[in-house]
Amino acid sequence: ALHEGHVVSAQELTVLLQPVFTQNSRNLILFLQDTLSIEDFTYLSESYSNKNPFQNEILQSSPSSLVLPAVDCKATRDLLSFLQASGEWKLTNVTDHDVSHLEMNTSKPNLLVVQLQPLVSGLNEISALEAIAENDKIIGRLTMDLQKRGIHFSVIYTAVRPSRISRRTDVVWELRRQLMATEEEDSLSYPPLNVTTGNGTCILFYASNFSLNANSSVLIDLTNATFVTRNVDTSSSTCSDFNRTLSLKYTEPVNKISSLEIRFLMTNKFYGGSSRNWFTLDSVEIIQDGEKFAKFNVSVISAPAEYSFHCQLVGTSNLYPARLIPSNNEAKNWDVSISRLQIQGFNIENNQFSYASDCTGFFSPGIWMGLVTSIILLWILTYGIHMIMQLTTNSRFDDPKGPALSVPQTE
């Protein structure tokens, strides 16, 4: 029994998961989504009753189930590491969402990690509904395949951070900014990827969602492999005083792609106009299977050399603030989407990001609209006051007892 508003800690989660480790059939499937909250199950189902996103009956058909309304972000962040340390699991990352060809030795415990497609920040509710419905179909398809093969298993469906953060309304204004800062810090699901040399950390890289789309048909989600399981090779990264390259190599990220390498090429130059050094991300390169080479030029991504760079959305879409522009024909076959990108290639201290230079300028479209409207209204007011000040009154008037007033044409 859980009290309302109680958040399950990492220690409590360890106790609650003990029955999974002591049962005979120790096959565990971890469905991991980027964001999810208990309110999503009721809100989306009630708001769009004709399009219920939760169709499979895995919870209803299972002999036992446990629902935890709220779990500490730190507990879910370390969940995979905890599961791996809790037993001699055979870890398998399911990337193509198909287990029909997967060979499982049921005599030994198996841990299947399924990274569901992300709910990219900025999507409207309809798009989020469709994304969750698609993930629900993936869950149903995988569990049905295992059931048909007679394999007994347990399922954990969770996310690395909540999709809905409730904010306290009974606190004074001075405390609200502190609370929001704490919630933002807790929402980070994993530490950034770091590349180290003999002198310490030389590159830091973080993203809440890192995905590619090849030929508009093959979705490659690299978020889990890059930041959670760290199933990525960064040994080819290079670090010098003026040029640095972040190299991310993946082995069989999805079916039909044996190897994939992504390079971020950065430079550090001195600019006389600002009398300081600036770091820029010049280009991004994608190498598939050691043969296909795609290169993208980068716009907007730059910051003072002492700072890091942050942007909410980076990719090939024209709607993103920071764009990756294809520079060869092969690059046109790729779509890149990176959410909440933060990268730093120079002057890293204490293995932490420095102050972030954001891609969104101070003058947003709303601010520009307000300024232009205010200037137009101010001009109308000034013109009206000027016209009123030009009005004059007669200096002489007719005297009914005297002769008529004669006004020359010159006046």
Side-chain angles (χ1 to χ4, degrees), residues 50-196:
N50 58 336
K51 297 175 67 175
N52 187 355
F54 305 101
Q55 294 289 343
N56 73 74
E57 299 180 355
I58 184 66
L59 289 178
Q60 291 78 4
S61 60
S62 61
S64 62
S65 62
L66 174 65
V67 178
L68 303 177
V71 181
D72 188 7
C73 288
K74 295 181 180 179
T76 56
R77 182 187 312 166
D78 301 330
L79 178 59
L80 183 58
S81 301
F82 165 71
L83 293 176
Q84 290 180 277
S86 62
E88 299 295 331
W89 300 95
K90 179 186 177 183
L91 179 63
T92 304
N93 289 292
V94 181
T95 56
D96 56 358
H97 299 158
D98 184 14
V99 296
S100 58
H101 63 280
L102 184 65
E103 296 182 1
M104 294 180 58
N105 185 4
T106 56
S107 62
K108 297 181 179 180
N110 295 276
L111 174 59
L112 306 182
V113 179
V114 182
Q115 183 73 33
L116 300 174
Q117 65 176 0
L119 279 63
V120 181
S121 59
L123 291 176
N124 55 35
E125 293 177 352
I126 299 295
S127 299
L129 175 74
E130 294 175 351
I132 292 181
E134 182 63 27
N135 288 341
D136 189 69
K137 293 179 182 178
I138 294 173
I139 295 174
R141 183 167 62 252
L142 294 182
T143 53
M144 287 297 297
D145 288 344
L146 294 178
Q147 287 178 350
K148 290 179 180 178
R149 297 168 60 180
I151 299 176
H152 299 281
F153 56 88
S154 299
V155 172
I156 297 179
Y157 179 32
T158 186
V160 292
R161 65 179 183 274
S163 60
R164 303 171 188 271
I165 300 177
S166 59
R167 307 198 184 278
R168 295 176 54 185
T169 57
D170 57 341
V171 294
V172 295
W173 174 254
E174 288 77 7
L175 294 178
R176 288 187 179 178
R177 295 185 65 181
Q178 299 177 6
L179 289 173
M180 293 174 67
T182 303
E183 290 168 350
E184 181 67 20
E185 181 180 356
D186 290 341
S187 66
L188 297 177
S189 56
Y190 33 70
L193 178 71
N194 59 350
V195 176
T196 58

